């Protein structure tokens, strides 16, 4: 079986169980996609060095969510962000497929000049399942292949967002308040939602945040789990990345 190497960049202040689950999910996906996936985690928020950008070192990059923020007030407080932005720009230059999730989605945009802002909706923190509307470009994107052509519900947990995309990028999906929920820039892809989080993790998060969810009137987190479709985005990206690296 062929092997594809994936680099994972978590951005939380501490190692988190969701990152370990993402690595496991990628490894277990091998039987579905027809090749072995070998993930390597770089804890760059904890001071780890970024991997060297050599086109044959790895086949894809996934940059994840975070408890940190990327608004204009937060960027000066985290000097390592500039290293992250340079890494992202180098990945694009080397034409290595990259998927940014939540914070990672915003980081890709910020690396190319887009301002990250607080959510333009109330309540500001969006937790749980919320509607995502595909654009014309999104309907034709391999990243969103197999999803309903008009809209679907996806899992969110964020207080910040982008409402514009980098120059030359395509908006693939939008949400309330003109929020950009998915975009592409060459071989770089960003999604504001969380396709990597498994149903078991969703249940765990819902239990931990039950009181906050109830205050926001969110009652359908658990009931949506069984019919969610947004998780297919991760598998779509893996298949696309494999094809791109073979061209």
């Amino acid at each position: 079986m062929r092997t594809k190497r994936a680099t994972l960049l978590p951005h939380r202040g501490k190692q988190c169980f969701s990152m370990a689950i993402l690595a496991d999910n990628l490894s277990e996906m091998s039987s579905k996609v027809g090749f072995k996936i070998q993930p390597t985690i770089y804890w760059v928020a904890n001071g780890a060095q970024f991997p060297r950008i050599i086109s044959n070192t790895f086949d894809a990059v996934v940059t994840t969510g975070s408890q940190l923020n990327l608004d204009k007030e937060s960027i000066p407080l985290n000097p390592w962000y500039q290293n992250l932005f340079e890494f992202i720009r180098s990945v694009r230059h080397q034409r290595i497929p990259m998927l940014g999730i939540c914070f990672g989605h915003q980081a890709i945009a910020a690396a190319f000049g887009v301002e990250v802002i607080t959510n333009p909706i109330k309540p500001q923190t969006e937790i749980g399942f919320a509607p995502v509307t595909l654009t014309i470009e999104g309907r034709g994107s391999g990243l969103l292949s197999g999803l309903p052509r008009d809209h679907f519900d996806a899992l969110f947990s964020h207080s910040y967002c982008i409402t514009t995309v980098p120059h030359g990028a395509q908006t693939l999906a939008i949400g309330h308040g003109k929020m950009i929920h998915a975009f592409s820039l060459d071989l770089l892809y960003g999604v504001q939602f969380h396709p990597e989080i498994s149903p078991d993790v969703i249940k765990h998060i819902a239990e931990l945040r039950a009181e906050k969810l109830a205050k926001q009137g969110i009652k359908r987190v658990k009931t949506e789990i069984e019919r969610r479709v947004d998780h297919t985005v991760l598998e779509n990206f893996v298949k696309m990345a494999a094809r791109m690296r073979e061209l």
Side-chain angles (χ1 to χ4, degrees):
M1 180 180 287
R2 295 170 299 159
T3 298
K4 296 295 180 181
R5 297 149 298 176
T7 293
L8 309 182
L9 301 181
H11 303 300
R12 296 180 185 268
K14 58 183 179 180
Q15 296 187 8
C16 53
F17 68 95
S18 61
M19 170 52 62
I21 290 174
L22 170 58
D24 288 343
N25 286 346
L26 287 172
S27 297
E28 292 172 2
M29 201 179 290
S30 298
S31 60
K32 293 183 180 180
V33 297
F35 50 82
K36 182 180 179 181
I37 303 171
Q38 180 180 314
T40 302
I41 301 176
Y42 292 84
W43 294 97
V44 293
N46 290 356
Q49 293 294 315
F50 283 83
R52 293 181 62 194
I53 306 298
I54 302 175
S55 61
N56 62 355
T57 302
F58 43 83
D59 298 294
V61 178
V62 179
T63 181
T64 68
S66 178
Q67 297 166 333
L68 303 172
N69 300 317
L70 278 160
D71 58 294
K72 61 183 179 182
E73 288 79 17
S74 299
I75 290 177
L77 302 177
N78 295 276
W80 68 272
Y81 281 1
Q82 298 304 323
N83 295 331
L84 172 62
F85 297 155
E86 183 57 35
F87 176 83
I88 292 170
R89 290 190 285 264
S90 297
V91 168
R92 182 192 183 192
H93 179 72
Q94 291 287 342
R95 296 191 59 78
I96 299 169
M98 182 178 198
L99 176 64
I101 298 170
C102 197
F103 176 98
H105 160 84
Q106 298 167 13
I108 294 174
F112 297 99
V114 171
E115 182 179 355
V116 177
I117 64 172
T118 55
N119 288 349
I121 59 172
K122 299 295 181 181
Q124 179 184 329
T125 300
E126 186 173 43
I127 302 176
F129 287 90
V132 174
T133 301
L134 273 65
T135 64
I136 294 175
E137 292 79 9
R139 292 170 188 167
S141 171
L143 185 72
L144 304 177
S145 176
L147 296 171
R149 285 183 53 81
D150 295 321
H151 61 268
F152 61 93
D153 284 349
L155 180 67
F156 290 90
S157 180
H158 69 116
S159 300
Y160 293 81
C161 71
I162 59 171
T163 55
T164 60
V165 296
H167 176 72
Q170 288 189 325
T171 298
L172 304 180
I174 58 175
H176 295 312
K178 299 183 179 179
M179 291 188 289
I180 307 296
H181 284 338
F183 74 92
S184 63
L185 178 65
D186 297 334
L187 303 188
L188 277 55
Y189 297 86
V191 293
Q192 183 61 66
F193 50 92
H194 285 275
E196 85 286 9
I197 298 183
S198 67
D200 288 341
V201 175
I202 298 173
K203 291 177 182 177
H204 182 67
I205 292 173
E207 290 166 359
L208 290 176
R209 301 184 180 181
E211 183 176 349
K212 186 171 185 178
L213 293 173
K215 286 181 179 179
Q216 294 186 10
I218 301 173
K219 302 177 180 179
R220 62 193 185 99
V221 173
K222 291 185 179 180
T223 61
E224 292 291 329
I225 293 173
E226 298 306 322
R227 60 190 186 90
R228 70 181 299 221
V229 294
D230 57 311
H231 64 286
T232 60
V233 167
L234 184 61
E235 184 175 330
N236 286 344
F237 172 74
V238 168
K239 291 178 179 178
M240 290 169 56
R243 289 195 299 267
M244 292 169 187
R245 299 297 283 168
E246 291 173 355
L247 295 178

